[in-house]
Amino acid sequence: GTSMATPAVTGVLALMQDYFTNTLHLVPSPVLLKAMLINGARSAWPGVYGYAVNSGVNLEGWGLINLSNSLPASLNNSLNTTTPLFFADQNPTNVLATGDSHTYTVAVSASSTNLPLRITLAWTDPPGNPAAALKLVNNLNLVVTNLTTGDVYYGNHFAPSIPPFSIASTTNDPAVFDSVNNVQNIVIPGAAGSYSVTIVGRSVNVNAVTAEQTRIVQDYALVVACDDAGNIGGVSVSGPVAVSAPAAQVSAVTGTNLINFTQVIGANAPLLSTNFIVFGTNAGYATNAVLYLGQVNQWRFYVATNTTGFTNAAFIVFNPSTLAIPVEGAASQNYFSYTRPEADLDIYVAGPNDPNAFNLTNLDATVLANCINHVNGDSAMLDRGGTAYVAFNDSQMGQVYYIGIKCEDQTGGEFGFIGAFSQNPFSSMDANGNEYVNAFNVPIDIPDGDNVHPGVGYVLALALQPITVLNVIVSNTVTHQNFGDLLGILSHDQDYATLNNHDSLGPIFNQTLIYQDSISTNGVSNSIPGAIPSDGPGSLQNFTGSDGTGVWILTEIDNGLTQTGRVENLTLKIEPHQNQTTNGILRTVKVLAHSWYYDYILAPVGCINLTVVATNLPPYASPPIELALQFKKPPTHTSNLRIVDLNQGVPPGNVISYGPPVPPGIYWAGLYNPSGTDATVEWGYTLGFSAAAVTTVDYPSADTPLPILDDAVTVSPQAMTNYFTTNSTILVLDFDTIQGINVGLRVDH
């Protein structure tokens, strides 16, 4: 048990540490001691336990520790010298990037003909992000080849044998790589002969070597031994021979509307970026901005062919997360925070109208410039978030698209990718400005699961028309043997609503469930017969006030055993906000008897006071109309910031004043009519900002000295375009459009 194993292992590691420091006069890394400990371990019950990953008995790990095996008394670690155990410790000069490999040559003495050869690789992986599906950040692979027979062995690929031995493959067999663990072991029986031991940097995504400032690399510890410490022979090791062969990761999208899960991408290494592209006037971004091409490691490429003949095509990156633990603050719900809860990923698509589209996978500057400047039908999305898409409505049978995903974070990224071709438009508008969004990858199965390993089905939809959301109404058609097994969450950007939370509907077949948490702003009830509210946590009202454009995802999770089902279809109706109220302007609205009337107010950053006014116009309601205010959600009688009766009768009527401070975001104003007859109300709002007298200094040329103002930072003078937007109460400086320009600003309060 652990109460015995933990102190025993701790004591052995202390003895090993002491031997290194006092006898070898070396400082071993923790991962080297870990690799040596594992290499010397043996199965406690021969005939019972093996190492195969599909073994029914998995109680021992690597087995029982043995100090004499892990640290032979005659240890001599010199290259080309016979020793019972060879080790290579972590070293900042002996590191691997993606595509790199180090190969050692191992000679096993003839006296070891019938003894197993044991090779253990371990590395200190950067801390993984708990939100990522794959917890391994940097993936190294251990490959050993018998130079006499040609047999190939892969790390952690064990036969179900006892004692445990690695499976021998030929060079024609498919490679079997472990992409989950940061320890890889190979045990080869009858070991005499020569072997090559190769460590491959399969996917090194985040820099793990603090002494390396410019590259994305991973160091490692390697241990090679020939069975037990009593072996009078041993191994002789030479090398390593280093090979660098970075190559682009290119995947073919073989199925239409099929999701590629757990796609991994490397971190941005800004100090390595040299080549760049200047943004043109058609890019939609600041024309003085530049795009650095970066390194191959921070790109993933896909090739998709239209095999359907459908005209609507879209390529979508979704569910992005950082691979490594993000910096503090990344869980902020503010999209414009310096750190974000998702990886910063961009998408580039070179289409069939670009004759050189295939060169996207070679990071061709011309093709990438076509993408960001929308030339030859190419396109890109470079927003700061990680969910991104590019869509076309003129696709044809057989046309080929080249897609590049680029990571701009220094923590790497993990994401899902889908290439979609649809016969119907992804979204459409009606005459009233409502946008209808249809899922394109349905029907989709919901795999069976349990609490430990839930089954998940992802349904995706894409809204292409710009719209500011007022209401979202969801029609979800499901077939399931027990609907109560499911938890369904609709998400868009950083907002979400839980639609179904283990409802007690039981078996359902092709049943359409309509979810509506709607808010009426026109004095007419818009409730849909048969609609039900979302279960929560989260509400469909969470999407109100947001930009509805982009990717909408329904995640149906099955965490109850035995029953299965699928999502047959999903449709969203997005109702637009009509801007019925404007800052400083009064509006007349009708409030139905015994009903609420709602509208929202967007308070921007810098607002310090919000004032809402309302007047009950004749004929007056009795009891009087009530005015209420609430943050982020519609007010009620029991949930509000302020509530007052409208009893003045003359504009501006009654007032609710809120702030300072006024946190930025959506504020809901509500009018409740407690009487039995409809009523008319005139209402409006004003936003207050801190008054500031602004002194600006013009710089007609780059040669004009920059004066030093109070508490100013000394910077070199720069000619600059006037990027200031001013009015009588506030000055807004848009730093997103000022890249590489030094700004002098003085504000007198």
Side-chain angles (χ1 to χ4, degrees), residues 125-129 134-139 203-206 264 323-324:
D125 198 48
N129 184 357
L134 288 177
K135 302 304 182 285
L136 190 69
V137 175
N138 291 337
N139 183 17
S203 181
V204 181
N205 299 301
V206 175
V264 175
L323 272 179

Side-chain angles (χ1 to χ4, degrees), residues 516-533:
Q516 183 182 31
D517 301 322
S518 294
I519 303 154
S520 174
T521 63
N522 56 10
V524 178
S525 174
N526 58 356
S527 298
I528 298 175
I532 56 178

Side-chain angles (χ1 to χ4, degrees), residues 271-320:
L271 297 180
L272 288 179
S273 298
T274 54
N275 297 332
F276 62 85
I277 301 168
V278 177
F279 281 63
T281 57
N282 294 327
Y285 300 90
T287 55
N288 61 333
V290 297
L291 170 73
Y292 285 93
L293 302 188
Q295 305 300 301
V296 170
N297 184 51
Q298 69 185 97
W299 288 82
R300 286 292 299 265
F301 299 100
Y302 302 87
V303 182
T305 303
N306 186 347
T307 60
T308 65
F310 298 153
T311 59
N312 300 284
F315 307 98
I316 300 172
V317 178
F318 70 102
N319 276 12

Side-chain angles (χ1 to χ4, degrees), residues 599-649:
D599 205 345
Y600 68 81
I601 303 160
L602 180 61
V605 174
C607 176
I608 65 168
N609 183 265
L610 168 60
T611 302
V612 183
V613 299
T615 306
N616 189 183
L617 301 179
Y620 301 117
S622 181
I625 304 293
E626 297 167 80
L627 170 66
L629 183 70
Q630 181 60 294
F631 185 48
K632 291 187 175 180
K633 59 183 179 180
T636 66
H637 288 100
T638 58
S639 174
N640 60 76
L641 298 173
R642 305 277 195 279
I643 188 167
V644 297
D645 289 339
L646 301 187
N647 53 20
Q648 295 299 319

Side-chain angles (χ1 to χ4, degrees), residues 236 410 488 515 532 534 608 616:
S236 177
Q410 295 182 44
Y515 296 92
I532 56 178
S534 58
I608 65 168
N616 189 183

Side-chain angles (χ1 to χ4, degrees), residues 253 255-259 310 314 418-422 426 440-442 444:
V253 180
T256 299
N257 298 346
L258 296 181
I259 298 174
F310 298 153
I418 187 170
F421 294 93
S422 175
F426 295 110
F440 53 80
N441 66 325
V442 286
I444 190 76

